Amino acid sequence: LCFTDGIGMISPSFARQLIEKVRPSDAACHPCAFQIRCGGFKGMLCVDVTGQADALGVKVLFRPSMNKFAANNH
């Protein structure tokens, strides 16, 4: 079984970029998960250790279950 409801993926490189922007002193040690709200999406993003996000050329993969409401801004 694979329980993924509400959990998307973030590429390791984008996770590092976020931490460098928010906490430059902690850039070498970043979290493996982020709680997010982006437009109508909310939930968790886990750092993608499989390489799928990078292989697809995307920074963040949202799952359909993360979409809570329609929003004009992201």
Side-chain angles (χ1 to χ4, degrees):
L1 291 172
C2 182
F3 298 100
T4 60
D5 191 37
I7 302 174
M9 289 188 288
I10 184 170
S11 72
S13 58
F14 190 51
R16 280 190 297 276
Q17 286 178 355
L18 290 176
I19 293 302
E20 287 172 3
K21 191 170 197 160
V22 176
R23 290 181 153 176
S25 61
D26 292 339
C29 180
H30 60 81
C32 60
F34 298 83
Q35 184 176 8
I36 60 97
R37 288 179 187 256
C38 179
F41 290 84
K42 72 176 196 168
M44 296 293 294
L45 294 175
C46 291
V47 173
D48 174 29
V49 296
T50 67
Q52 288 179 343
D54 287 330
L56 294 172
V58 295
K59 295 179 180 180
V60 175
L61 292 171
F62 292 111
R63 297 200 183 272
S65 60
M66 297 173 74
N67 190 5
K68 305 303 181 187
F69 59 89
N72 294 329
N73 297 316
H74 289 97

